[in-house]
Amino acid sequence: MNNLLEIKNITKNYHTKEGEIAAIKDFNLEIEKGQIISLVGPSGCGKSTLLTIVANLDKNYSGCILNNDDIKIAYMLQSDALLPWLTIYENAILGLKIQNKLTKENLEYVDYLLNFYNLIEFKNNYPKSLSGGMKQRLALIRTLALKPDLLLLDEPFSALDQQSRLLISDDVYKLIKKENKTVILVTHNIEEAIIFSDKIIILSKRPALIKNIITIDISNQESIYERRKDANFHKYFDIIWKDLDINES
């Protein structure tokens, strides 16, 4: 087994005026290189909190994350967080500029990504000229430009309409598979979790405990459209729906 990262016994508590609140309790997970894992569970159960811990943005927890210091991690938030005074190209290379990595190779990779996501012709425009879906593509390009070993996606398509969501999620899926990226995806969308993932982690209400781990056996790797047609799709949907228990949210 080629584990890229191991989450060991993570526990996270928040201190409030009313007392201590447990957000995550004794969470363990092994993540293999090239694997796409989705976290699903009731709202407020700690999914996004777990991502911030993995991204090393929150260090106030117990437990440990092995290899966290040895791999490059990129975190894409729900909001596109584009800077309106920068051009599309300047937004795309912003992370590289901040990290002083504006090499010829990296800039060529940015051009490749802009071509892949059909944004190259808009590179000198500003974000206000883009649709919501195009802005989300640009946010992803900025994230991928850093060539992360592990990509953290926190509901990246939730602000999009259904048509844009399907189109962009298919583009993202194809590139992730082509580049053999390792991904942790947080989503409330069961269908999205199934068509994206190799494995789905179902969490309980807060404090987050693992209720079930489902390995997705869908042979087609070409597109989310084809994966949705798989005979096992509805079986997985039913299992996840029952495990989620809507009364927990």
Side-chain angles (χ1 to χ4, degrees), residues 30-49:
E30 296 180 350
I31 301 168
E32 298 177 35
K33 185 175 181 180
Q35 195 172 50
I36 303 176
I37 293 177
S38 286
L39 302 178
V40 299
S43 296
C45 74
K47 301 184 293 296
S48 295
T49 299

Side-chain angles (χ1 to χ4, degrees), residues 162-175:
Q162 182 66 7
Q163 182 179 6
S164 297
R165 187 172 188 144
L166 289 172
L167 290 171
I168 294 170
S169 59
D170 191 51
D171 285 344
V172 172
Y173 175 80
K174 288 175 179 176
L175 186 62

Side-chain angles (χ1 to χ4, degrees), residues 131-154:
S131 67
M134 294 167 79
K135 288 178 180 179
Q136 208 64 7
R137 283 189 175 99
L138 178 55
L140 182 67
I141 289 170
R142 182 182 56 197
T143 305
L144 291 173
L146 297 170
K147 298 181 180 178
D149 300 300
L150 176 63
L151 182 59
L152 307 178
L153 301 177
D154 191 353

